Amino acid sequence: VHVAVRDLYGVLHTEAGLNAIIELDVEGSSILTVAREVQRHPVRGEIAHLDFIEVRMDTEIDAEVSVEYIGVPEGVKEEDGVVETLEASVMISALPGSIPSHIEVNIEHLGVGDTLKIADLPDIDGVTYLADEDHPLLTVVIPAAIVEPVDEIDMLEGDEVAISVRVHARGV
Protein backbone atom coordinates (compact mmCIF):
# COMPACT_ATOMS: atom_id res chain seq x y z
CA VAL A 1 0.00 0.00 0.00
CA HIS A 2 1.37 3.43 -0.92
CA VAL A 3 0.23 6.44 1.08
CA ALA A 4 0.85 10.14 0.36
CA VAL A 5 3.54 11.29 2.79
CA ARG A 6 1.86 14.65 3.44
CA ASP A 7 -1.47 12.96 4.29
CA LEU A 8 0.22 10.40 6.53
CA TYR A 9 2.26 13.06 8.31
CA GLY A 10 -0.90 15.06 9.00
CA VAL A 11 -2.73 12.07 10.48
CA LEU A 12 0.16 10.86 12.65
CA HIS A 13 0.86 14.31 14.08
CA THR A 14 -2.52 14.80 15.67
CA GLU A 15 -3.10 14.41 19.40
CA ALA A 16 -3.86 10.69 18.83
CA GLY A 17 -0.42 10.06 17.27
CA LEU A 18 0.12 6.41 16.29
CA ASN A 19 -3.25 5.55 17.82
CA ALA A 20 -5.14 7.63 15.25
CA ILE A 21 -7.77 5.70 13.34
CA ILE A 22 -6.83 5.78 9.66
CA GLU A 23 -9.28 4.87 6.93
CA LEU A 24 -7.49 3.27 3.97
CA ASP A 25 -9.06 2.74 0.56
CA VAL A 26 -7.67 -0.57 -0.72
CA GLU A 27 -8.90 -1.62 -4.14
CA GLY A 28 -12.24 0.11 -3.60
CA SER A 29 -12.76 -1.23 -0.07
CA SER A 30 -12.61 1.01 2.98
CA ILE A 31 -10.54 -0.47 5.84
CA LEU A 32 -10.12 1.03 9.33
CA THR A 33 -6.55 0.78 10.60
CA VAL A 34 -4.07 2.12 13.12
CA ALA A 35 -0.37 2.59 12.43
CA ARG A 36 2.20 0.35 14.09
CA GLU A 37 5.92 -0.38 13.76
CA VAL A 38 7.17 2.92 12.37
CA GLN A 39 10.64 2.79 10.83
CA ARG A 40 12.33 6.12 10.10
CA HIS A 41 15.23 7.06 7.86
CA PRO A 42 18.27 7.33 10.17
CA VAL A 43 19.40 10.73 8.88
CA ARG A 44 16.36 12.52 7.47
CA GLY A 45 13.87 11.18 10.05
CA GLU A 46 11.28 10.55 7.36
CA ILE A 47 9.01 7.52 7.63
CA ALA A 48 10.63 4.73 5.61
CA HIS A 49 8.18 1.96 6.51
CA LEU A 50 4.95 1.74 8.45
CA ASP A 51 2.74 -1.22 9.27
CA PHE A 52 -1.02 -0.84 9.48
CA ILE A 53 -3.22 -3.17 11.50
CA GLU A 54 -6.87 -3.52 10.67
CA VAL A 55 -9.22 -2.64 13.51
CA ARG A 56 -12.90 -2.92 14.26
CA MET A 57 -14.54 -0.20 16.30
CA ASP A 58 -16.23 -2.85 18.50
CA THR A 59 -13.04 -4.84 19.28
CA GLU A 60 -10.41 -3.81 21.83
CA ILE A 61 -6.78 -3.39 20.73
CA ASP A 62 -3.54 -2.94 22.65
CA ALA A 63 -1.92 0.48 22.46
CA GLU A 64 0.99 2.35 23.99
CA VAL A 65 -0.03 5.65 25.58
CA SER A 66 2.28 8.29 27.03
CA VAL A 67 1.99 9.27 30.69
CA GLU A 68 2.13 12.99 31.49
CA TYR A 69 3.37 13.63 35.02
CA ILE A 70 1.86 16.85 36.40
CA GLY A 71 3.43 18.99 39.14
CA VAL A 72 6.62 19.01 41.20
CA PRO A 73 6.72 16.41 43.99
CA GLU A 74 6.96 17.55 47.63
CA GLY A 75 10.08 15.39 47.90
CA VAL A 76 11.78 17.56 45.29
CA LYS A 77 10.64 20.90 46.73
CA GLU A 78 11.04 20.09 50.43
CA GLU A 79 13.62 17.30 50.68
CA ASP A 80 16.12 17.92 47.83
CA GLY A 81 14.95 14.77 46.04
CA VAL A 82 14.96 14.13 42.31
CA VAL A 83 12.36 12.49 40.09
CA GLU A 84 13.47 9.23 38.51
CA THR A 85 11.16 8.38 35.60
CA LEU A 86 11.10 4.63 35.04
CA GLU A 87 8.37 4.55 32.37
CA ALA A 88 7.19 7.37 30.10
CA SER A 89 4.34 5.33 28.63
CA VAL A 90 2.04 2.42 29.49
CA MET A 91 0.37 -0.34 27.51
CA ILE A 92 -3.42 -0.35 27.58
CA SER A 93 -6.29 -2.24 26.01
CA ALA A 94 -9.33 -0.32 24.74
CA LEU A 95 -11.70 0.12 21.84
CA PRO A 96 -9.98 2.08 19.05
CA GLY A 97 -12.20 5.11 19.63
CA SER A 98 -11.56 5.09 23.39
CA ILE A 99 -7.76 5.20 23.38
CA PRO A 100 -6.65 8.37 25.19
CA SER A 101 -4.00 10.56 23.57
CA HIS A 102 -2.14 10.56 26.91
CA ILE A 103 -2.75 9.87 30.59
CA GLU A 104 -2.27 12.65 33.13
CA VAL A 105 -1.33 11.93 36.73
CA ASN A 106 -0.54 14.46 39.46
CA ILE A 107 2.72 13.70 41.31
CA GLU A 108 2.81 16.72 43.67
CA HIS A 109 2.01 14.56 46.73
CA LEU A 110 5.03 12.26 46.33
CA GLY A 111 7.78 12.47 48.93
CA VAL A 112 11.28 11.04 48.92
CA GLY A 113 11.06 7.25 48.76
CA ASP A 114 7.56 7.27 47.24
CA THR A 115 6.88 5.35 44.04
CA LEU A 116 4.06 5.91 41.56
CA LYS A 117 2.69 2.58 40.28
CA ILE A 118 0.22 1.46 37.63
CA ALA A 119 -2.41 1.17 40.39
CA ASP A 120 -2.03 4.92 41.01
CA LEU A 121 -3.05 5.87 37.47
CA PRO A 122 -6.56 7.25 37.03
CA ASP A 123 -9.45 4.94 36.15
CA ILE A 124 -10.55 5.68 32.59
CA ASP A 125 -13.82 4.29 31.26
CA GLY A 126 -13.16 1.55 28.73
CA VAL A 127 -9.40 1.43 29.37
CA THR A 128 -7.56 -1.51 30.95
CA TYR A 129 -3.91 -1.17 32.01
CA LEU A 130 -1.99 -4.24 30.84
CA ALA A 131 0.98 -4.11 33.23
CA ASP A 132 0.82 -5.47 36.77
CA GLU A 133 -0.72 -2.92 39.16
CA ASP A 134 2.49 -2.92 41.26
CA HIS A 135 4.66 -2.03 38.24
CA PRO A 136 6.61 1.18 39.08
CA LEU A 137 6.41 4.20 36.77
CA LEU A 138 8.21 6.95 38.69
CA THR A 139 9.99 7.36 42.00
CA VAL A 140 11.37 10.26 44.05
CA VAL A 141 14.86 9.63 45.41
CA ILE A 142 17.69 11.47 47.14
CA PRO A 143 20.62 11.82 44.73
CA ALA A 144 23.72 9.78 45.61
CA ALA A 145 25.81 12.99 45.82
CA ILE A 146 25.15 16.72 45.79
CA VAL A 147 27.93 18.96 44.46
CA GLU A 148 28.02 22.45 45.96
CA PRO A 149 30.53 25.21 45.14
CA VAL A 150 32.41 26.66 48.11
CA ASP A 151 32.19 30.44 48.60
CA GLU A 152 35.88 31.06 49.21
CA ILE A 153 38.31 31.36 46.31
CA ASP A 154 42.03 30.73 46.88
CA MET A 155 44.42 32.79 44.74
CA LEU A 156 47.39 30.90 43.32
CA GLU A 157 50.52 32.22 41.60
CA GLY A 158 49.80 34.77 38.91
CA ASP A 159 46.19 35.33 37.88
CA GLU A 160 45.06 31.69 38.13
CA VAL A 161 42.09 30.92 40.38
CA ALA A 162 41.32 27.57 42.02
CA ILE A 163 37.72 26.83 42.90
CA SER A 164 37.13 24.34 45.66
CA VAL A 165 34.15 22.02 45.38
CA ARG A 166 32.64 20.18 48.34
CA VAL A 167 30.84 16.87 47.70
CA HIS A 168 28.24 15.68 50.21
CA ALA A 169 27.52 11.97 50.06
CA ARG A 170 23.84 11.20 50.66
CA GLY A 171 22.23 7.90 51.55
CA VAL A 172 19.66 6.55 49.10
Side-chain angles (χ1 to χ4, degrees):
V1 174
H2 293 281
V3 178
V5 173
R6 181 171 284 154
D7 293 339
L8 184 61
Y9 184 87
V11 169
L12 296 180
H13 286 84
T14 63
E15 204 173 292
L18 285 179
N19 295 316
I21 299 168
I22 303 168
E23 186 175 348
L24 296 180
D25 182 10
V26 180
E27 297 176 355
S29 295
S30 180
I31 301 172
L32 292 178
T33 66
V34 291
R36 293 292 184 260
E37 301 299 323
V38 178
Q39 296 174 10
R40 296 188 178 274
H41 187 278
V43 176
R44 295 189 303 264
E46 300 169 347
I47 295 174
H49 176 83
L50 178 68
D51 289 342
F52 292 99
I53 61 167
E54 186 174 357
V55 297
R56 292 174 39 111
M57 296 304 288
D58 61 349
T59 304
E60 288 187 354
I61 61 170
D62 294 349
E64 185 174 5
V65 177
S66 65
V67 178
E68 187 175 325
Y69 301 110
I70 307 296
V72 178
E74 288 178 12
V76 172
K77 289 192 268 186
E78 311 283 331
E79 304 173 66
D80 295 327
V82 294
V83 172
E84 186 174 317
T85 303
L86 306 172
E87 302 284 348
S89 62
V90 293
M91 291 298 296
I92 65 159
S93 180
L95 295 174
S98 297
I99 297 172
S101 58
H102 64 278
I103 298 167
E104 290 184 0
V105 60
N106 188 315
I107 59 171
E108 291 178 338
H109 65 282
L110 296 176
V112 168
D114 290 345
T115 300
L116 184 83
K117 301 175 183 176
I118 293 285
D120 300 318
L121 293 177
D123 290 331
I124 302 171
D125 286 340
V127 172
T128 303
Y129 298 109
L130 297 178
D132 183 70
E133 66 180 23
D134 289 329
H135 184 77
L137 299 171
L138 176 142
T139 188
V140 180
V141 297
I142 291 290
I146 296 176
V147 178
E148 297 176 356
V150 175
D151 290 336
E152 62 187 63
I153 297 176
D154 298 327
M155 296 299 289
L156 299 178
E157 292 180 24
D159 293 325
E160 296 179 21
V161 177
I163 297 176
S164 176
V165 176
R166 207 178 276 149
V167 177
H168 301 279
R170 306 290 295 264
V172 178

